[in-house]
Amino acid sequence: QTQLVESGGGLVQAGGSLRLSCAASGRTFTNYAMGWFRQAPGKEREFVAVASWSTGATYYPYYADSVKGRFTIFRDNAKNTVYLQMNSLKPEDTAVYYCAAAQRASVTSDPRTYDYWGQGTQVAVSS
């Protein structure tokens, strides 16, 4: 059974940091683009970041403009895990964060192209 399980969410003050983890099981995700999305109350799910599928240790990250320079996505294929390091957090970053996997070589920000989703982890940033 293929599963993505997020962890690392919580409550943090503005300007603080959190690291989210997404542990994948049931298959090897080397040939999957691994993405992070978020959804705030009353809003649509939005793209945050994606790491392309990897060739060896090489992969390519891509970010939404709203998080560029503050968030970093990285993957550890040995652990079948992808991370989202979030620095300089703002109250507008408050949302449920979801990990997703897409079996494609190119990076994609369209949630409809992702094949697997985690259950989400809550991030709350206080002002």
Side-chain angles (χ1 to χ4, degrees), residues 76-114:
D76 183 338
N77 290 333
K79 296 181 178 180
N80 227 18
T81 299
V82 63
Y83 303 91
L84 185 68
Q85 177 65 42
M86 306 186 295
N87 298 330
S88 302
L89 282 161
K90 305 175 181 179
E92 50 263 45
D93 295 318
T94 295
V96 177
Y97 282 70
Y98 297 91
C99 172
Q103 192 175 15
R104 53 189 296 156
S106 58
V107 294
T108 171
S109 60
D110 185 349
R112 296 170 298 178
T113 62
Y114 283 77

Side-chain angles (χ1 to χ4, degrees), residues 27-78:
R27 64 181 61 225
T28 299
F29 282 86
T30 305
N31 293 338
Y32 284 73
M34 301 297 295
W36 286 95
F37 290 79
R38 65 187 182 187
Q39 188 166 18
K43 295 188 177 181
E44 292 187 354
R45 190 167 299 190
E46 67 170 350
F47 167 75
V48 175
V50 60
S52 70
W53 78 6
S54 59
T55 303
T58 301
Y59 60 90
Y60 299 94
Y62 177 69
Y63 301 94
D65 288 343
S66 59
V67 306
K68 202 172 295 183
R70 300 188 297 122
F71 291 10
T72 302
I73 187 171
F74 56 102
R75 60 190 301 165
D76 183 338
N77 290 333

